[in-house]
Amino acid sequence: MAYLLGVDTGGTYTDAVVLDDTAQRVVASAKALTSRPDLALGVGAAVDAALSRSGVAAREIAMVSLSTTLATNALVEGQGGRIALVFIGFDPAELTRAGLQDALRGDPVIALAGGHDHAGQEATPCDLAGLRDALTALVAGVTGFAVAASFATRNPAHEIAARDLIREVTGLPVTCSHELSSALGGPKRALTAVLNARLIGLIDGLITACETHLATCGITARLMVVRGDGALVSAAIAREKPIETILSGPAASIAGASWLTGETDALVSDIGGTTTDVCLLRDGRPMIDPAGARVGPFRTMVEAVAMRTTGLGGDSEVHVTEGLDAGLRLGPRRLMPIALAARQFPGLVHDALDRALASGVPASDGGQFLLPLWRQIPQGLDAREMIVAERLADGPLRLGTAVQTRMETPALGRLIGRGLVMLAGVTPSDASHVLGLQDCWDTDAATKALTLFARRRTGNSQQIAPDAATLARMIIDQLTAQTVDCLLQAAFAEDSRDWPDPAALAQHPLTRAGLDRHRGTLRIDLALALPVIGLGASAHAYYGAVGDRLGTQMLLPDHADVANAIGAVVGQVQMQASGSVTSPGAGVFNVHLSDKVQNYISRDAALTAIRKALGDQASAAARAAGVEDISLHVTEDIRQVDVEGQPMFIEATVKVIAQGRPRIAAG
């Protein structure tokens, strides 16, 4: 009998599940709070509880698989380490394309001469001396590097040379764009490399936390990680390419949803603490986004499930909209719920809330708190960031105590953006505690926080709500409305009819009338034609009303709260390698691989060579991930034109996928 251990680390909870692979059943599951900055605590608590409840010995675990939303959450919230981009052979204007400048967020750029042409020939020598000078002049605080060179997918030599020099001088992690994608489009490849470099420390910390605890438990099984397209990869590959774990958690949830319900056609909606992820399940498989994964504002070159990710979750920040009749808006930033903060820091939270309530006026800082996420104050902070950090040196503080002038507010924003500090404030999770939908944390603190929040004034000087319970219902209703909007956008986008602007259609008056089942001179009805599978720890609390509003069946399966962890261990390893063949002249065919360029005198010889090279590369990666029974799938796109009745070869792109289940040794 073989037992599998699935682990999923989200923004709020870390889940663990023990699965009987022979009987295809869940043996036991457990949840623990995701612990920051030490992720090992949350991983350890969840794994230990799941093993204890299952009665399965550590030595009987045949495979461990990890999924996570940490990378997705970091990109949605604009967090991650400070990096430097080495930009080789590009015009400065290229920084403004593909969202690259926004992704850099003011981080340094080292622009160098160099790069290759479309055929892979060197256009200009790479200025390695200039790179060495720039590296020595960099200020402290950079945690990694992204390297992107012009036409590096045709010839990666300059990226490789820059990578080697950066490692020699700094010893820091380096991401090369050609290692993440073989597609053309330099700025978009650079964007993907920047995001990858920003995430390396985060994902490395999670994998290390998991590996350390597994070793402590005596679990010697192989550790796999779920990729954004739902496939499993080795922990070593995930460390090197953490960008591939964006949408890892959602991809695992799709596999878990299908496994739990047996449904082959449905919309899957997974609500976490930070995001709501919606994906279409067709014929038992998730749709893959052909344009590359989009997370928040960024379109990457990472192949992943076609997931619509929205900054809406149980821990989303509650905002009051402006205007005479102010309403509420949720997200996209995640806060620590006041109910949870009070459980961890009861004296601080209750004392501050009691004083604010006694004053009888709205709190200037909204009754929010700041929590440092460091063991010691990090390096590389500017003067104002250091002022805020030093106030937080001894632990959490009321927001108004930690930030005392408007000049310090931007500094706080930068600290939050780098994941160094977290805000605690009113969230839907607090509203759920007030209404009795949840009771896992401090309900009394949640009630105090919502009472204080309700004192805020609208544009006509009225309180936004008379009491905590009314405000709580308003927050939950807003969560329902925004979730309905997410599902409608996905439905319009995935419908067989080519609807224009799904976001606008989801909020169109006719759509609203259809959901209201309008009856007048016109009869208007609108409903989803597919069931919705609701996943996530809070799905049972929120999603019943969502199904009613959309006029469809809402499936809330048992173990929906740990669907990601289940999906993490029911997938397959899928390793791919890709390359291209170009012809710069008659009788010359260049094979462009990830590490070199090879020349052939015929098209057929070049295609045969690239198929074999890519097949060997993908198969080796699959074997390294523990797959013994490998199946290969080859896809080719050969472009040629007719010239005077004769075909003329232009270019070919080839992709080889090696897949199979990792070897599972029965206990």
Side-chain angles (χ1 to χ4, degrees):
M1 186 175 295
Y3 293 100
L4 312 178
L5 174 63
V7 180
D8 175 71
T9 296
T12 304
Y13 285 109
T14 294
D15 305 332
V17 61
V18 177
L19 199 70
D20 183 336
D21 191 48
T22 304
Q24 291 289 286
R25 68 181 181 91
V26 175
V27 180
S29 64
K31 304 180 80 68
L33 287 170
T34 297
S35 50
R36 299 169 187 265
D38 188 358
L39 295 169
L41 299 176
V43 170
V47 168
D48 291 348
L51 289 175
S52 176
R53 294 172 189 174
S54 70
V56 174
R59 65 179 182 279
E60 297 180 276
I61 299 296
M63 186 182 79
V64 182
S65 189
L66 172 69
S67 69
T68 181
T69 60
L70 291 185
T72 307
N73 295 350
L75 297 187
V76 168
E77 297 181 86
Q79 296 183 356
R82 188 167 186 263
I83 61 92
L85 168 64
V86 178
F87 209 43
I88 304 173
F90 291 100
D91 187 277
E94 302 280 8
L95 285 170
T96 64
R97 295 179 53 201
L100 180 55
Q101 202 160 46
D102 292 337
L104 283 165
R105 302 200 318 256
D107 285 353
V109 176
I110 300 173
L112 299 175
H116 293 77
D117 62 21
H118 184 273
Q121 300 301 308
E122 185 177 77
T124 305
C126 186
D127 183 11
L128 294 178
L131 175 58
R132 184 181 292 274
D133 291 341
L135 292 174
T136 58
L138 273 181
V139 297
V142 170
T143 61
F145 290 84
V147 179
S150 177
F151 286 108
T153 54
R154 291 291 188 251
N155 190 331
H158 287 182
E159 286 195 357
I160 292 171
R163 177 196 66 193
D164 293 345
L165 179 59
I166 293 168
R167 287 176 175 169
E168 173 195 328
V169 174
T170 71
L172 291 172
V174 185
T175 297
C176 290
S177 74
H178 78 275
E179 297 170 336
L180 301 175
S181 175
S182 62
L184 297 176
K188 193 174 177 182
R189 266 190 298 108
L191 166 72
T192 306
V194 163
L195 298 179
N196 190 80
R198 209 181 286 293
L199 293 171
I200 282 178
L202 179 70
I203 298 303
D204 178 70
L206 173 61
I207 293 173
T208 298
C210 195
E211 288 177 334
T212 300
H213 191 76
L214 294 176
T216 302
C217 293
I219 296 176
T220 59
R222 183 188 307 271
L223 175 63
M224 309 298 292
V225 180
V226 181
R227 205 167 55 193
D229 59 359
L232 305 182
V233 297
S234 68
I237 290 177
R239 269 195 171 99
E240 182 181 332
K241 302 178 181 180
I243 189 69
E244 293 191 353
T245 70
I246 61 171
L247 302 180
S248 160
S253 76
I254 303 304
S258 182
W259 191 89
L260 286 169
T261 65
E263 292 286 336
T264 57
D265 297 278
L267 277 175
V268 180
S269 185
D270 184 2
I271 182 169
T274 308
T275 61
T276 291
D277 305 307
V278 180
C279 181
L280 177 64
L281 187 67
R282 280 293 191 195
D283 299 323
R285 297 180 61 83
M287 305 296 288
I288 299 297
D289 192 339
R294 177 185 286 278
V295 181
F298 304 120
R299 172 72 75 177
T300 71
M301 281 186 166
V302 176
E303 194 169 275
V305 293
M307 185 75 66
R308 301 184 76 88
T309 297
T310 306
L312 175 69
D315 299 344
S316 289
E317 184 173 10
V318 180
H319 305 270
V320 179
T321 59
E322 296 181 357
L324 293 178
D325 298 316
L328 300 179
R329 179 175 58 84
L330 307 180
R333 183 165 63 182
R334 173 182 177 265
L335 305 185
M336 177 181 284
I338 291 294
L340 175 55
R343 191 174 110 170
Q344 297 185 0
F345 311 101
L348 168 71
V349 173
H350 279 283
D351 288 349
L353 291 176
D354 288 341
R355 286 196 301 271
L357 288 169
S359 72
V361 296
S364 60
D365 63 2
Q368 294 184 325
F369 298 84
L370 276 181
L371 294 80
L373 300 178
W374 57 64
R375 293 185 180 90
Q376 60 182 17
I377 295 177
Q379 295 181 337
L381 303 184
D382 65 28
R384 295 197 185 279
E385 292 168 356
M386 184 60 72
I387 290 172
V388 177
E390 287 176 344
R391 292 189 188 126
L392 291 166
D394 294 328
L397 290 175
R398 179 85 176 265
L399 174 58
T401 303
V403 178
Q404 299 177 5
T405 70
R406 289 186 178 183
M407 300 288 288
E408 293 167 3
T409 300
L412 171 62
R414 293 191 294 273
L415 292 174
I416 292 173
R418 293 179 203 161
L420 300 175
V421 172
M422 186 173 190
L423 270 174
V426 171
T427 68
S429 294
D430 294 299
S432 295
H433 279 75
V434 171
L435 296 176
L437 301 176
Q438 296 183 44
D439 62 355
C440 47
W441 302 326
D442 192 327
T443 298
D444 188 30
T447 302
K448 291 177 182 179
L450 265 71
T451 301
L452 187 63
F453 195 101
R455 292 178 179 173
R456 294 191 185 188
R457 301 285 175 174
T458 65
N460 59 11
S461 299
Q462 299 296 311
Q463 281 194 193
I464 62 170
D467 52 45
T470 303
L471 176 60
R473 175 45 57 194
M474 291 169 61
I475 293 171
I476 299 304
D477 288 347
Q478 183 62 26
L479 179 64
T480 299
Q482 290 184 223
T483 302
V484 166
D485 190 66
C486 291
L487 286 162
L488 282 173
Q489 288 187 41
F492 278 120
E494 300 295 346
D495 190 71
S496 57
R497 182 168 181 160
D498 188 16
W499 296 98
D501 199 350
L505 283 172
Q507 299 180 18
H508 194 279
L510 283 174
T511 301
R512 299 304 183 196
L515 294 177
D516 292 337
R517 281 54 169 179
H518 173 78
R519 298 294 182 269
T521 306
L522 295 173
R523 172 176 174 166
I524 306 175
D525 292 291
L526 185 143
L528 292 183
L530 294 173
V532 175
I533 303 174
L535 304 178
S538 58
H540 284 83
Y542 304 135
Y543 274 13
V546 173
D548 293 341
R549 178 69 171 156
L550 291 169
T552 192
Q553 183 183 15
M554 178 63 69
L555 302 175
L556 300 170
D558 292 338
H559 307 297
D561 59 331
V562 291
N564 292 27
I566 292 170
V569 290
V570 298
Q572 288 195 334
V573 170
Q574 184 172 291
M575 308 304 295
Q576 68 179 41
S578 56
S580 60
V581 178
T582 61
S583 180
V588 180
F589 297 86
N590 294 338
V591 171
H592 304 274
L593 300 172
S594 62
D595 59 347
K596 58 187 174 183
V597 179
Q598 297 175 332
N599 306 108
Y600 294 87
I601 60 173
S602 74
R603 186 199 79 153
D604 290 346
L607 289 173
T608 299
I610 196 170
R611 291 180 195 124
K612 182 179 186 309
L614 296 178
D616 290 346
Q617 182 182 338
S619 296
R623 277 192 294 273
V627 179
E628 295 178 345
D629 185 11
I630 297 173
S631 62
L632 291 178
H633 304 271
V634 181
T635 58
E636 298 177 352
D637 179 16
I638 300 176
R639 284 180 283 169
Q640 55 188 25
V641 295
D642 285 336
V643 177
E644 297 181 351
Q646 297 296 319
M648 185 175 77
F649 179 84
I650 303 298
E651 184 179 50
T653 56
V654 182
K655 179 167 72 173
V656 178
I657 297 175
Q659 66 181 34
R661 282 285 286 168
R663 182 177 57 84
I664 298 173

